[in-house]
Amino acid sequence: MVESSVVMILFGSFLVLLLLGAPISVSLGVSALASFLYLGENPIKFVQIAFTSVGSFPLMALPAFILAGALMEAAGISKRLVDLAESFAGPFTGGMSAATVMACMFFGAISGSGPATTAAVGMLMIPAMVDRGYSKGYASAITASSGGLGVVIPPSIPMVIFGISAIGLMPPPEAIAEHGQFQSVSIPKLFIAGFLPGLVLSCGLLTMNYFLCKKQNYSGTTDGWSGANILTMLRKGTWSVLAPIVILGGIYSGLFTPTESAIVAIFYTLFIGFFVHRELKVKDVLRSLETTTWLTGRVLLILFTATVFGRLLVENQIPAIVASSMLEMTSNIYLIWALIIFFLLFVGMFMETLAAILILTPVLLPVAYSLGIDPVHFGIVVVCCLSIGFQTPPLGENLFIASGVSGTSIEEISLRALPFALTSVIAVFIIAFVPEITLFLPELLGY
């Protein structure tokens, strides 16, 4: 009886506060604190759990990757990556918008953030596409949709958060008895596993882009490909292309951890910005530090409160109840995957990605263990599902950024982004139903 009352207080107050328009960190914190007081717990425990949540070494990668992404934009690295992608467009149907998808892949391999990728690429590519005859709505929609690749192509901030959430959740003994030992979760393993799923999502977007551009008659240049132009852009963008190679190569080779790779990325960017491109100024560094402080503080507030919220869920057996309910409904793994995917897509429309991961990982990961689903595979599917939330209203952060850059209404961009969202959903189902796409690279590299 006490357990059901706590759950009612926890979720009831959380939903009421959200409906009243309270920030998600406030909603999580107040509902968790109300539950603590109802149980007669010392509020100091609330603070201790929250403080412990930000004491992990992998979490240091979060501000470092945010800072690296901000500095790379100021140092001219993102502009050179976009110019390189644009040089490959040529006469290909929808070449400019295809170059936008490629640019988002490049920048996603640096920033680890969907909104940051959309902003950095959108400011350069949306005006360029409009100049080539694309409608503002379509240019904004393809940019907002491709920006979600920033959290799937490693390194990825949501993968760091999933890793931190999942590392402490051990598989239930009955799941081990039925399916054998599960592999452990680590952030380098998640980064490696995310590479091929990121390519699957990208190929889906490029395919849909081709058909839509053919229908709209968005053709490429009449001049054809220019080998000289491509070589020039490659030469100018050499140091920019090396950035993701240095970051991911170091992680994949085991030379350094994700946290250390983020620090390497910062120093690499500072060196390139000050001494090679000579475009980075001290005021840019200060502005990047200011952006990093603001974004990190916002994320850590959510992490504080969501960790306590998640702990209350686990202590009140909510994950076990959800797992048993789903398994009672059906034991078909494909049907349960469909239920999980549609649920995550729905949540992604209304809740910030990092908060959703922190709240839902303790609830849904036990379901995955009960079905024998690999936790790394499950984590990648969760991140892929929630990445689609960046391009779907009402929350859709990428839509707001693209709207701000292009001056187009959210409604028009949302409508034009629907085919890309549908393609991404199909790609997520393929990733979920074919675990080898996710697990091939980690197994190949000996993880």
Side-chain angles (χ1 to χ4, degrees), residues 209-228:
N209 172 67
Y210 175 79
F211 287 112
L212 290 175
C213 286
K214 198 167 186 180
K215 185 180 176 183
Q216 299 285 340
N217 199 28
Y218 294 148
S219 56
T221 59
T222 53
D223 306 330
W225 275 288
S226 167

Side-chain angles (χ1 to χ4, degrees), residues 222-244:
T222 53
D223 306 330
W225 275 288
S226 167
N229 185 41
I230 291 173
L231 285 173
T232 301
M233 292 305 168
L234 270 172
R235 183 174 52 78
K236 286 183 178 179
T238 300
W239 292 101
S240 302
V241 173
L242 280 175

Side-chain angles (χ1 to χ4, degrees), residues 126-415:
I126 291 175
M129 281 189 277
V130 171
D131 288 343
R132 294 277 185 93
Y134 289 74
S135 72
K136 279 187 178 182
Y138 186 85
S140 304
I142 186 68
T143 308
S145 302
S146 306
L149 296 172
V151 301
V152 181
I153 301 283
S156 159
I157 292 169
M159 285 181 197
V160 172
I161 299 300
F162 177 84
I164 291 166
S165 304
I167 286 167
L169 293 171
M170 303 308 294
E174 54 271 21
I176 295 174
E178 186 178 348
H179 303 289
Q181 198 66 41
F182 291 86
Q183 68 166 315
S184 61
V185 178
S186 72
I187 292 167
K189 200 184 298 182
L190 286 164
F191 280 3
I192 294 165
F195 187 75
L196 289 180
L199 288 181
V200 171
L201 284 167
S202 303
C203 289
L205 291 172
L206 287 169
T207 304
M208 179 57 73
N209 172 67
Y210 175 79
F211 287 112
L212 290 175
C213 286
K214 198 167 186 180
K215 185 180 176 183
Q216 299 285 340
N217 199 28
Y218 294 148
S219 56
T221 59
T222 53
D223 306 330
W225 275 288
S226 167
N229 185 41
I230 291 173
L231 285 173
T232 301
M233 292 305 168
L234 270 172
R235 183 174 52 78
K236 286 183 178 179
T238 300
W239 292 101
S240 302
V241 173
L242 280 175
I245 293 172
V246 167
I247 296 166
L248 299 179
I251 295 170
Y252 290 178
S253 64
L255 196 62
F256 36 71
T257 67
T259 305
E260 291 163 349
S261 76
I263 306 301
V264 169
I266 290 169
F267 280 97
Y268 179 87
T269 306
L270 289 172
F271 176 78
I272 299 305
F274 280 124
F275 302 109
V276 180
H277 294 165
R278 297 181 181 178
E279 293 179 18
L280 194 63
K281 304 288 186 290
V282 174
K283 65 177 182 181
D284 297 323
V285 176
L286 294 174
R287 196 182 304 117
S288 298
L289 285 168
E290 187 181 328
T291 302
T292 303
T293 305
W294 184 83
L295 286 174
T296 305
R298 181 177 159 211
V299 171
L300 289 181
L301 272 174
I302 295 171
L303 184 65
F304 266 138
T305 51
T307 302
V308 184
F309 193 95
R311 180 73 67 86
L312 282 165
L313 289 178
V314 173
E315 286 178 356
N316 287 282
Q317 304 294 312
I318 303 303
I321 293 167
V322 171
S324 61
S325 301
M326 291 187 86
L327 292 171
E328 281 171 14
M329 195 185 304
T330 177
S331 59
N332 186 307
I333 190 168
Y334 297 110
L335 282 176
I336 290 181
W337 260 131
L339 287 171
I340 290 171
I341 289 169
F342 283 124
F343 176 65
L344 288 169
L345 290 171
F346 177 76
V347 168
M349 290 169 65
F350 297 95
M351 191 178 289
E352 194 171 26
T353 303
L354 302 184
I357 290 171
L358 286 162
I359 294 168
L360 296 177
T361 300
V363 177
L364 296 178
L365 190 56
V367 178
Y369 280 133
S370 301
L371 292 164
I373 296 169
D374 184 277
V376 173
H377 177 215
F378 180 76
I380 296 301
V381 174
V382 168
V383 172
C384 288
C385 285
L386 294 174
S387 74
I388 298 171
F390 284 117
Q391 67 189 75
T392 51
L395 185 62
E397 290 175 79
N398 288 3
L399 298 174
F400 287 96
I401 291 168
S403 173
V405 171
S406 66
T408 313
S409 69
I410 296 287
E411 291 78 14
E412 184 182 348
I413 300 173
S414 301
L415 195 64

Side-chain angles (χ1 to χ4, degrees), residues 15-102:
L15 291 171
V16 167
L17 286 164
L18 278 183
L19 290 171
L20 290 173
I24 193 154
S25 53
V26 173
S27 304
L28 287 167
V30 171
S31 57
L33 185 59
S35 303
F36 262 89
L37 295 173
Y38 175 80
L39 291 167
E41 299 269 9
N42 190 333
I44 293 297
K45 186 182 175 184
F46 179 99
V47 180
Q48 288 171 336
I49 295 170
F51 182 76
T52 307
S53 70
V54 294
S56 61
F57 176 70
L59 193 61
M60 288 172 63
L62 177 69
F65 275 127
I66 293 172
L67 178 58
L71 286 172
M72 282 178 182
E73 191 177 342
I77 288 177
S78 58
K79 184 180 186 306
R80 284 166 174 79
L81 287 173
V82 168
D83 289 342
L84 179 60
E86 191 179 344
S87 70
F88 284 101
F92 182 73
T93 299
M96 280 295 290
S97 44
T100 302
V101 178
M102 290 165 60

